[in-house]
Amino acid sequence: MDLRINPENEALIERARELARDVLATCADECDQEQRFPRESFDALIREGFTRLTLPESYGGRALWSDPVCYAMVFHELSQGCTNTAMTLHMHSSILYFLLTLSDEEQKHRFAEAARNGAIFGSHAGEAASSPQWNRTITTRARKEGDEYVINGQKYFCSMAGEADYYVLWCLLEGVEELQAGLRWAVLDKNLGGITIPSRWDAFAMRGTASHSLAYEDVRVPARNIVGTGEGILQPDFVPRFGLGYAAVYLGAGAAALDWIVDYALKRKLLPDNVPIASYPAIQRQIGEMKIAYETALIMIQKAAWVLETQGAAKAIPFINEAKYTASEAAASMTEKALKIAGGPGLLNDKPLQRFHRDARAALVMPPSTEKCLQMASNFVLSQNEAASIF
Amino acid sequence: MDLRINPENEALIERARELARDVLATCADECDQEQRFPRESFDALIREGFTRLTLPESYGGRALWSDPVCYAMVFHELSQGCTNTAMTLHMHSSILYFLLTLSDEEQKHRFAEAARNGAIFGSHAGEAASSPQWNRTITTRARKEGDEYVINGQKYFCSMAGEADYYVLWCLLEGVEELQAGLRWAVLDKNLGGITIPSRWDAFAMRGTASHSLAYEDVRVPARNIVGTGEGILQPDFVPRFGLGYAAVYLGAGAAALDWIVDYALKRKLLPDNVPIASYPAIQRQIGEMKIAYETALIMIQKAAWVLETQGAAKAIPFINEAKYTASEAAASMTEKALKIAGGPGLLNDKPLQRFHRDARAALVMPPSTEKCLQMASNFVLSQNEAASIF
Amino acid sequence: MDFRINPENEDLLERAKIYAKEILAPRAEKIDQEGIFPRENFNDLAREGFTSLTLPKDQGGRDLYEDTATYSMVLYELSKGCTNTAMLFHMHSSISHVITYLGTDEQKHRYGEIIRSGKIIASYASENTSSLHGVWRMETKAIRDGDVYRINGRKYFCSMAGEADYYVLWVQLEDEEDLTKSLGLLIAPSDNPGFKIDQEWNSFAMRGTVSHSMIYDDVKIPVEDLVGRGGDPIRPDVLPKFGFGYSAVYLGAGGGAFDWVVNYAQTRKLMPDNVPIATYPAIQRQIGEMKIALEGAILMLQRAGWMINAHGADKAYGAINEAKYVCAEASAFITEKALKVAGGPGLFRHNPLQRFHREARAGLIMPPNTEKCLELTAKTVLEGSANVLGS
Amino acid sequence: MDFRINPENEDLLERAKIYAKEILAPRAEKIDQEGIFPRENFNDLAREGFTSLTLPKDQGGRDLYEDTATYSMVLYELSKGCTNTAMLFHMHSSISHVITYLGTDEQKHRYGEIIRSGKIIASYASENTSSLHGVWRMETKAIRDGDVYRINGRKYFCSMAGEADYYVLWVQLEDEEDLTKSLGLLIAPSDNPGFKIDQEWNSFAMRGTVSHSMIYDDVKIPVEDLVGRGGDPIRPDVLPKFGFGYSAVYLGAGGGAFDWVVNYAQTRKLMPDNVPIATYPAIQRQIGEMKIALEGAILMLQRAGWMINAHGADKAYGAINEAKYVCAEASAFITEKALKVAGGPGLFRHNPLQRFHREARAGLIMPPNTEKCLELTAKTVLEGSANVLGS
């Protein structure tokens, strides 16, 4: 057993921590309040090479998904500055990695070059919600016409809608029902005709992710921008990587709340005691609970990442699922406790605590939700079916 | 709104409290450790008239089920002395009330006289466990032969098996499948031939209830000891009364733990502080949680009892169900907290705390179980079916 | 025992339900999002006579504080429509009551007329927060200068600041440090030139209460506007009544969320199942938990309300604290569960669920907070009573 | 990062699983019910060489404290068979390690031989309990008298009292109050005539540890049986190791309950459904919760174990406390859930479930208890570190 972080990437985690503190955190509240995409944070991340983290080294990247523990830690650090930035960068980074995995040579060069030039890729898979007992269905269709495909459909919870340079769309070839056969990715320039935003993301959590709905009506995309095969896209490697990142990002809201409240508890004094509230046993008890919840969630994320690296995605799914559950519940309980400790001042919008608290609520419901996680954890135990799918 | 207890029966509650403290509590630990029926407590209760509480006044009783709030409070008080005594007396008292309700005149006189002479009646309904989605099935059969009935079947969790003077058995007339048509009570002298105990109650909770399994093989009972009709027995009045008593009795384990730990916290001093641990904020916090859980459960029991009295059993079912859930969870959490506060000494068998803790575990699983209560509470809300049956 | 709402005031509960649904709910989103003071709601309630309910009957009121259980349920029902309006209503109504309870005949007459004319008397304000273990402190002093008191000081969380027609000032009279002799309650028109808003209320919860910080800059108030004598407002028979209403208001957030999510569960269908999610056992289990928590909290609320009238506010102090704890925790629990059941759509800003969720967080924090309630409850158990001044 | 058990010790884990199942589990019920010391189990483990595992390799051991993560998993696996035996095994093994770590060459040789011969060195004992906020105290003194120490005092919770072959004595050397200079650890054969059992251990949990109270009545021990120097046993690099193993032992109760209930759910069918209750969603949800809690606790355990070796026990102190909290709470949570899932049958004394449930309660209480763990964890967050002596 050796729980040290891979030293090669330690500096990257440290740099993420600095950027989170010095750049992301400085505009996070404003983006949240104004419900806008954290463009200035992204610009900084592009300059720092953080939008190229998951490109293969031969394409000018850091191949960071080859070290999932560090990947998770980098996004966990970023998220403590701004959950919105970390979440959307995670979507970009993961889909870029998948594109480079499944593309042909020409496509690889083209997408990698775009990324090197600062392009942002959004990953849009969300269809109308389906029952927890069922796998997802895909109703967005791609019809071939000459050397173009014509896309029709509607997607929900599309992060960076209107903000990413390219939308990577999960769609089915027309006339095929089986995902295995007909699933494709369409890589769409966001300015293509026929793309509209029928309803905007107006939520009380994760407000800066621009997760609007997107409607595609006869959107024409060149055939060379269609990527992958159904089997390739459905390989068990992809969806778990999204889940691991969610866990790392959402736990960031909890970690930020812990940092904030520790600082607060050390400084805040109530009359007439004139000692910091950190010295009250009832406060200590709650900070103790927060810290332990945090450490437990963090080690579960790291374990899941390690299983992903060493034993592959199929084996890692149950661990990622458990990590997502634990991280979400930890973030929710940590932010709730912090709010209780802070009292009235914690409610004020000029302090970030209420933002951490709200963002942690998205952790509970965003897929895989708490309920889905419990069901999957149970299925795994009761059936010993190690390859339980989370797609 | 008027939350005062009916003053007529206040003295009865007070007497129950005294008996619990002066008699029941003095042998409760011994009965628990030796896993034996609290005979000496019952003898005292017989002398005090507590086995006649639910007989109609015209038969020499107090007709206490006409005031369910006081009924619940009397059993709640008794249970703080000895949960086993309170639980088994509740079974006796309820079935005696039902017998006097459904019997013909001759039977009424006979059963009432037996009760006045100190006879104890056990109520045995438990069949093999059935799925939470289904109503109970009855496989015990009564076949008529001349002026006798021949009983065959097996019952589980039969409280006071081998201890009660009469077993009141829920059985189906042979050849009838519908409970509505064929359900009867057979009132069996415990010494009748053919009654055996195939497996003994050897549990870690409620050890003094003698809840053995009972097997009936060609047990012959005179026809005059067959009581009721299917419709009468299934009237919605009966089963809810059992449930209300369970809630009151189980909450007694929690109340006893609270009393014990308050006394302990006021006396126990740790070196080098030399002040009672009651002065530590972390202890106070937990005692506060216990007290509030207790009051909430108590008022829910009282509300349910009041609905039973004023609006009838059908309306009362959801309230009783919610009271059972709240009382069980309160008893479980109160005893767990008390154990944590007491530390090592609380584990010792010469102190009653560990007994309260174990008995509270039965609260969680004995019918209606926590899960069943949640399901019923939900069904009530989602369907607005006010007459949801708990049988 | 009788759990019924007093028949003479039953009509108020029915009317509160109707007003909540028809008047308050439709405006609640705008009030919350834009931080608007709910003046329009108040005017409508005034037109219905609701804002005079706590005046004496001979003053055109219903003397509703003589039936505090019903009063609390009126607050609860209004709050299910709009928590902010319910809070304003409570603040105004409890001052009306205190004038009735402590005021001179002249004051009763004069302020009664003001209240009946639809004016708002509200706005309590806090001093610098004092320690959990500390007692009440008051740095703002009123110094007698001929026919007026001259008042200087700074106050925090001044609800309704800049919006109420009359402000209520809690001050220390002269230089007497013992607040049980010197704490005075003064009423002044809000256009007094000495009132200055110091810092804007921009909060994530209870935004419509516009609880700005304020400075009293040589405010001059005629001596005849002192209500009661020094120390009266914090007498044990007076002070607890102010706090009690908060519990009802905050529980309303939980009640609103519960109603919303029950309706959601009954109507929401997920593909490809063609049945409401109310049929899923995992959803049912959670609805059951919410329902039982809500019922327990309502009963604890009514019990405390009844005790205020049956035994006096001083004797009811323990029950009031217990109700505050149970209501705040239940509301937080229910709104969190409801978010989980609703999934992604629950995060949307146009759904009232996330509003109820945020308002419930203020309930956890507003005094007495969770920790304080537990401490006070423990003291009633351990020491037999707790001081209403919180020491 | 590498979460694998060190390959060189993997065999131990496999063997521990086999021994737990084949040797320990069949005898666990009798040990628990009759409060029997598990001598027979120890002898069998000794025959397999397990009781020498923490001796140095050149002494016939495996130096297993050099791989504390594996050591903790060995404890965990043994405890799933019999918690009492695992506790004995840990006490014996950690003394073996301390002799190796602090002893002279002569002691290592002499005690090494004793240990290899299958003798038990165990029995720690507590002083009068000290306050949560107090530091370690020691009233039992060893006074040098020529070639021996003479020891008088009274000790509580002396595990293995009357049964171990050698006792371990924690005493204050001479009259030096500063325990960091004077706390001495002595080893003496249990047949020393000065040892007297003062009060019998009759507990509801951990009954096989026979933790009687004892009197040291002028016990004389040769000076060469002092291990290390005054203060050594509570050095920050030594003391935390004793406590760490408890976490693993108590988590084993949760692990045992989990395995039992999974098997139960997979096989138990309720009438009239003809499917295992594992198919009910409400059961699945709870199994999911248990599984995730167990995984988190195991990881926190392994993390603390790894830190002891990678950074030293003093640096690992925070992680050890966090592991204790998570393991104790997880074990309590899992055993309670398991009882609920099992229903009535879980209460039966011949089912191991109720035994695991009781053992887990000792886990909540044994030092450092829940409150102490939270306090210490808070101090590492708030002050950067916590003193291993608990102040």
Side-chain angles (χ1 to χ4, degrees), chain B residues 202-269:
Chain B
D202 186 8
F204 96 120
M206 301 302 285
R207 290 162 55 85
T209 57
S211 299
H212 314 308
S213 296
L214 282 176
Y216 300 89
E217 199 181 339
D218 288 335
V219 178
R220 308 188 78 88
V221 54
R224 62 184 190 137
N225 273 20
I226 299 294
V227 175
T229 60
E231 280 188 8
I233 291 171
L234 288 173
Q235 68 176 258
D237 196 42
F238 292 164
V239 175
R241 288 181 196 264
F242 282 119
L244 181 66
Y246 297 157
V249 169
Y250 284 128
L251 186 60
L258 176 58
D259 277 356
W260 192 89
I261 203 69
V262 164
D263 183 63
Y264 178 88
L266 288 169
K267 290 179 183 154
R268 171 96 168 154
K269 296 177 182 180

Side-chain angles (χ1 to χ4, degrees), chain D residues 64-96:
Chain D
L64 195 55
Y65 258 103
E66 289 301 303
D67 178 6
T68 313
T70 304
Y71 174 68
S72 71
M73 290 310 291
V74 166
L75 291 175
Y76 169 73
E77 291 297 343
L78 291 177
S79 175
K80 284 162 73 174
C82 173
T83 316
N84 288 297
T85 305
M87 183 59 82
L88 164 59
F89 178 82
H90 166 56
M91 290 191 160
H92 169 85
S93 301
S94 50
I95 285 298
S96 305

Side-chain angles (χ1 to χ4, degrees), chain C residues 158-180:
Chain C
C158 308
S159 36
M160 324 302 167
E163 297 289 353
D165 301 301
Y166 288 81
Y167 292 164
V168 178
L169 289 82
W170 299 72
V171 294
Q172 178 187 314
L173 297 177
E174 309 298 340
D175 286 321
E176 168 60 60
E177 290 287 335
D178 180 354
L179 292 182
T180 64

Side-chain angles (χ1 to χ4, degrees), chain B residues 94-313:
Chain B
S94 298
I95 199 69
L96 190 60
Y97 167 73
F98 303 148
L99 281 179
L100 271 281
T101 306
L102 290 191
S103 292
D104 61 32
E105 276 308 308
E106 182 275 329
Q107 290 172 325
K108 277 192 223 278
H109 277 282
R110 193 151 41 87
F111 298 143
E113 191 183 355
R116 285 198 305 275
N117 291 333
I120 304 174
F121 290 74
S123 169
H124 299 169
E127 301 269 338
S130 60
S131 148
Q133 271 75 40
W134 294 83
N135 291 329
R136 202 168 286 181
T137 51
I138 298 274
T139 58
T140 303
R141 293 292 173 156
R143 184 177 75 244
K144 187 149 197 205
E145 284 192 10
D147 55 357
E148 286 183 335
Y149 280 81
V150 183
I151 312 279
N152 280 284
Q154 180 151 354
K155 294 282 185 186
Y156 301 87
F157 301 115
C158 306
S159 53
M160 301 189 285
E163 301 289 347
D165 299 288
Y166 295 94
Y167 302 156
V168 181
L169 221 61
W170 307 57
C171 53
L172 255 184
L173 294 180
E174 192 134 310
V176 191
E177 286 308 317
E178 283 295 303
L179 295 182
Q180 285 283 343
L183 194 61
R184 295 292 183 278
W185 283 326
V187 182
L188 272 56
D189 186 299
K190 76 158 168 187
N191 296 314
L192 285 178
I195 307 180
T196 55
I197 296 182
S199 72
R200 297 190 70 84
W201 176 246
D202 186 8
F204 96 120
M206 301 302 285
R207 290 162 55 85
T209 57
S211 299
H212 314 308
S213 296
L214 282 176
Y216 300 89
E217 199 181 339
D218 288 335
V219 178
R220 308 188 78 88
V221 54
R224 62 184 190 137
N225 273 20
I226 299 294
V227 175
T229 60
E231 280 188 8
I233 291 171
L234 288 173
Q235 68 176 258
D237 196 42
F238 292 164
V239 175
R241 288 181 196 264
F242 282 119
L244 181 66
Y246 297 157
V249 169
Y250 284 128
L251 186 60
L258 176 58
D259 277 356
W260 192 89
I261 203 69
V262 164
D263 183 63
Y264 178 88
L266 288 169
K267 290 179 183 154
R268 171 96 168 154
K269 296 177 182 180
L270 299 179
L271 297 172
D273 298 1
N274 213 25
V275 293
I277 62 171
S279 62
Y280 300 159
I283 303 287
Q284 289 179 1
R285 187 178 202 281
Q286 293 175 83
I287 288 181
E289 288 173 334
M290 290 170 69
K291 167 75 168 160
I292 293 174
Y294 173 70
E295 293 293 344
T296 306
L298 191 65
I299 192 82
M300 289 192 79
I301 290 173
Q302 292 174 337
K303 168 80 180 269
W306 175 80
V307 175
L308 181 64
E309 178 188 349
T310 56
Q311 295 160 55

